[in-house]
Amino acid sequence: MNLTGNWSYPTSIKFGAGRIAELPAACAQAGIKKPLLVTDKGLADLPITAQVLDIMEGAGLGRGIFSEVDPNPNEKNLDAGVAAYKSGGHDGVIAFGGGSGLDLGKMVAFMAHQTRPVWDYEDVDDWWTRADADAIAPIIAVPTTAGTGSEVGRASVITNSETHVKKIIFHPKVLPTVVICDPELTTGMPKFITAGTGLDAFAHCVEAFSSPHYHPMSQGMALEGMRLVKDYLPRAYADGSDLEARAHMMSAAMMGATAFQKGLGAIHAMSHPVGAVFGTHHGTTNAVCMPAVLQLNAPEIRDRFRSAAAYLDIEGGFDGFCSFVQEFNDALGIPRKLSTMGVDAARIDDLVREAIKDPSCGGNPVKLTESNLRALYEASI
């Protein structure tokens, strides 16, 4: 199978090995003449980043780069990125990296010419209408992991450095104009990042499939996304140079992020506060929380996961699927408890208080309360 394609859903996507070479054409398509490459600290000095900077320079686009991005990006990173964007006279952003680089890059383009604090655009009611849509700079997204799917998302997650609370900032024009998905850029990912990001994609698909909201298109993408992760994440984990597996995982990441327009749930409601307070890896945190959340939701999702298990060639219906999830985590080196990742049970009250306010609560099949969120944390810590 030739794993190359040009897609227009949910935005313009150039998919295939080696397609990073088309970055200048993507910038021209978006109307960008002097982009700022926004990436994270870990990627800044790697060969793939140097490759992108060389492509930019060779096309007359300059070598502008901002890399002061933390693993859980915050408003301080954002302010510094906006300052770099303005001082460099840039007219667009290339968001490059995993979830942190993509999310921060999108927010630099969004906030560069807004007049209100970023928190005024949180994904609450119609707060996004407060933004000046015409002032949002064009965005090119280039993922280097296969997990968050932020490259096809209309929002970013930003941590408030003072309150240690993650906020979702939303605007329709934050959806990148062009996405370049080149699986060759992901071959250098270490095993633990391959596992954590891949299971983030899986969590997106599981929660979208679990959501009670009506959205058959998302339901179909979530189901096939689960299959791709099940079949190809072990291969990518075992052999990072397996381009076929890497390509299918990049597809699964975008499918999960598109599917969760149907809704997320308790996995993400739990994970966001844990990541904000303890700085844990988001996808890995999701994976640890998933078994307990599946049990909470069992009364509402048992029947639908019976059909999912059959599609995925998992025996035993819902219970078989739950067993598969734990075995899958174990095989990919995921810890069974959050405490192994440094999460302190003494902070459960703080975590519950923030989790109950997370927008993801609205997509959970079982209504989330402080009581059942506490039970979920106790089971997972």
Side-chain angles (χ1 to χ4, degrees):
M1 182 185 298
N2 181 11
L3 301 179
T4 301
N6 294 319
W7 307 329
S8 58
Y9 180 76
T11 188
S12 176
I13 299 167
K14 302 179 186 300
F15 189 98
R19 300 200 69 176
I20 190 62
E22 299 176 36
L23 183 60
C27 287
Q29 182 179 337
I32 301 173
K33 296 181 179 178
K34 191 177 182 182
L36 177 65
L37 182 74
V38 178
T39 191
D40 62 64
K41 299 172 184 176
L43 279 174
D45 297 324
L46 294 184
I48 57 172
T49 307
Q51 176 189 2
V52 171
L53 290 170
D54 288 345
I55 290 171
M56 289 166 56
E57 186 175 42
L61 299 170
R63 296 182 69 91
I65 182 172
F66 174 78
S67 61
E68 293 303 307
V69 181
D70 292 324
N72 289 293
N74 57 49
E75 84 284 358
K76 293 180 180 179
N77 300 152
L78 177 57
D79 290 344
V82 168
Y85 181 92
K86 290 181 175 179
S87 65
H90 298 286
D91 62 354
V93 167
I94 299 171
F96 182 79
S100 56
L102 295 174
D103 277 6
L104 202 283
K106 287 157 60 178
M107 282 297 98
V108 168
F110 174 65
M111 287 297 298
H113 301 294
Q114 302 299 330
T115 58
R116 303 174 68 143
V118 67
W119 312 124
D120 285 0
Y121 308 111
E122 186 181 354
D123 189 16
V124 175
D125 298 326
D126 63 351
W127 286 15
W128 64 271
T129 61
R130 297 170 172 176
D132 180 355
D134 294 334
I136 301 172
I139 303 163
I140 306 294
V142 184
T144 63
T145 66
T148 70
S150 184
E151 62 272 16
V152 292
R154 301 170 297 165
S156 291
V157 179
I158 303 294
T159 301
N160 186 312
S161 64
E162 295 183 2
T163 64
H164 301 290
V165 175
K166 287 190 175 184
K167 297 291 187 180
I168 298 173
I169 312 300
F170 166 85
H171 194 282
K173 286 190 69 174
V174 168
L175 179 68
T177 304
V178 183
V179 176
I180 295 178
C181 278
D182 183 343
E184 291 182 350
L185 299 177
T186 71
T187 58
M189 271 196 295
K191 283 181 176 290
F192 79 96
I193 296 294
T194 296
T197 54
L199 289 169
D200 191 21
F202 191 69
H204 292 159
C205 293
V206 168
E207 291 214 283
F209 197 77
S210 300
S211 170
H213 303 309
Y214 178 70
H215 199 320
M217 291 181 289
S218 286
Q219 198 75 344
M221 282 186 287
L223 183 59
E224 176 64 2
M226 283 189 276
R227 186 192 70 81
L228 289 176
V229 176
K230 172 182 175 287
D231 289 352
Y232 292 101
L233 180 54
R235 281 177 49 177
Y237 182 78
D239 178 6
S241 65
D242 185 338
L243 275 180
E244 181 184 27
R246 292 295 194 186
H248 283 306
M249 284 305 302
M250 293 194 92
S251 292
M254 288 190 290
M255 292 167 74
T258 306
F260 74 59
Q261 302 304 314
K262 181 173 179 277
L264 291 171
I267 294 173
H268 279 75
M270 293 175 69
S271 181
H272 286 152
V274 170
V277 174
F278 294 99
T280 58
H281 183 268
H282 175 66
T284 305
T285 309
N286 282 343
V288 177
C289 294
M290 192 180 303
V293 172
L294 286 170
Q295 293 307 314
L296 171 73
N297 289 331
E300 299 296 329
I301 66 173
R302 181 176 294 277
D303 288 344
R304 80 186 69 167
F305 272 89
R306 183 180 297 116
S307 61
Y311 181 78
L312 297 169
D313 289 327
I314 295 171
E315 296 181 355
F318 174 75
D319 293 332
F321 180 84
C322 293
S323 296
F324 162 78
V325 166
Q326 188 59 71
E327 292 165 5
F328 203 49
N329 281 356
D330 293 344
L332 295 167
I334 302 299
R336 289 202 169 201
K337 295 293 182 181
L338 293 173
S339 55
T340 307
M341 301 168 65
V343 179
D344 187 350
R347 299 293 299 274
I348 284 182
D349 286 346
D350 297 331
L351 297 174
V352 169
R353 184 171 57 251
E354 295 306 326
I356 196 68
K357 296 184 290 187
D358 193 281
S360 301
C361 288
N364 204 66
V366 172
K367 180 176 175 57
L368 292 179
T369 64
E370 291 189 5
S371 176
N372 57 28
L373 277 166
R374 179 181 297 279
L376 287 172
Y377 277 122
E378 290 174 347
S380 300
I381 293 176

